[in-house]
Structures are given as C-alpha cells and as structure tokens.
Amino acid sequence: LRGLSELVSEGKSGSMFFWSHDGRFMVKTISADERDSLRDMLRPYKSYVASHPNTLLTQYLGLYDLNVPNSETVSGTVEGPKTKTYHLVVMANVFNTFLQIDERFDLKGSTRNRTVGTDLRGTPGLVHKDLDFKEMARCINVSSEWLAEQLRNQIQMDASFLASQGVIDYSLLLGVAKTGQ
C-alpha cells in the first residue's frame, strides 16, 4: 500500500480512491452493499466483457475485503470489534494515457444537481458533471458517422447489460486532452 497515492472523492459516496505509482490502476473503497452487488454480477460481467471487447464499462480487476486492526481496541481503551473491514475494488484507470488530461467529466445524461458549481468549474483535476459540460459549451465530435454509430451502439449495449443486472447508475467518464488540433 505504500506505493499508492490517495485522494478522497468529491462524490456523494465519500469513497477513498488510491492510484498505483504508475497511474495504471485505481483502488476504491466501497460499501458492503456495493461489494455484494458487484460480487453478484461478477460472472455475468466477466462474460459480457469477454464478448464485448469494445465495452466502455469499467475494467474491474479485483474485489477484496481488507481487515485492519481497530486502533482503539489495540490500545485497550475501547471495547468492540478487533478489526475494521474495508471493502476494496481494483480497477483499470480509465484516464491512464500518455496524453495530459485537461478536463474530466462524469456524464449521466441528467442535469439535475449535476454540477461542481460555477466557482469550481475549470479547476484542474476536478471531475465535472453534465451541467458543467453543457454550460462550458463542450461537445463530443466523432470523426465519422460510422464511428458515431459504433459509440452509440456500445453505450446502448453497456447500459442494457447494466439494466439486466439491476444497475441503474451509469456514467460515461470522459477525458479531454487539448492537443492543439
């Protein structure tokens, strides 16, 4: 764990995120309910990802429970559980690229309460949301109609798979690299 860097989420979950030293992998703390849901869908997820190599779904690489000695119990000052359990998921970092990612967006298809706020908008490293995307006048330009159709189809297939698993929370993570072109 010493080789990981930490960042506390700006999201509602309050999850902690850790990145590997090379930025390829991300470890996220999740709730017991999230762990159980992910565990229930791992077999269908593995099958789906294997049969859909262009999926835009997160690449899950591991699911772990980490039991850490409870510091209050170790010091002998508090009675209670001897360990605290953290549920961890290991994922490929979708923003791991040789390009510098200048803007990040978490798009859900809704603008209701989906903003970081005008005062934080444009902050480097901050993950912006749907309303920010709209109000910053961003758009996704795809180089050909064929590629645009492929992208639409993949998003539809991914969303249908998640719906078949009872998952209704879907985000498209988008990184923008300003290349000067």
Side-chain angles (χ1 to χ4, degrees):
L1 291 175
R2 283 182 231 172
L4 299 176
S5 62
E6 175 186 359
L7 175 71
V8 176
S9 166
E10 308 95 22
K12 293 177 187 176
S13 70
S15 294
M16 291 188 299
F17 293 83
F18 302 88
W19 282 266
S20 61
H21 70 283
D22 59 3
R24 291 179 55 210
F25 307 105
M26 183 174 73
V27 177
K28 177 185 174 188
T29 60
I30 59 175
S31 70
D33 287 343
E34 289 173 303
R35 181 220 34 210
D36 293 345
S37 294
L38 185 55
R39 186 181 291 150
D40 289 345
M41 69 179 271
L42 278 178
R43 277 190 173 76
Y45 167 84
K46 182 180 175 186
S47 176
Y48 178 81
V49 170
S51 63
H52 295 84
N54 296 321
T55 183
L56 300 173
L57 295 179
T58 300
Q59 293 180 3
Y60 291 106
L61 306 171
L63 180 62
Y64 303 93
D65 287 340
L66 177 64
N67 295 310
V68 178
N70 188 334
S71 60
E72 288 108 16
T73 303
V74 171
S75 67
T77 59
V78 175
E79 290 296 320
K82 293 188 190 317
T83 61
K84 178 169 173 72
T85 301
Y86 294 92
H87 311 293
L88 308 172
V89 63
V90 179
M91 302 171 275
N93 180 2
V94 297
F95 294 127
N96 182 42
T97 176
F98 66 91
L99 297 172
Q100 176 183 320
I101 303 295
D102 298 299
E103 296 175 342
R104 291 169 170 80
F105 293 91
D106 174 356
L107 304 175
K108 292 187 179 289
S110 170
T111 55
R112 187 171 193 275
N113 298 323
R114 299 283 303 150
T115 181
V116 297
T118 55
D119 53 329
L120 293 175
R121 206 171 278 153
T123 302
L126 188 64
V127 179
H128 296 78
K129 299 178 182 174
D130 300 70
L131 194 55
D132 305 310
F133 188 83
K134 180 179 177 183
E135 291 184 2
M136 292 168 75
R138 300 299 186 260
C139 62
I140 299 173
N141 290 318
V142 181
S143 61
S144 75
E145 186 55 41
W146 181 83
L147 286 174
E149 185 64 24
Q150 295 298 311
L151 180 59
R152 280 191 293 272
N153 288 340
Q154 190 61 61
I155 291 171
Q156 178 59 48
M157 286 186 292
D158 290 350
S160 294
F161 166 74
L162 292 173
S164 76
Q165 299 302 304
V167 176
I168 59 170
D169 188 6
Y170 178 78
S171 292
L172 177 64
L173 300 177
L174 178 66
V176 177
K178 297 177 182 174
T179 62
Q181 297 176 357

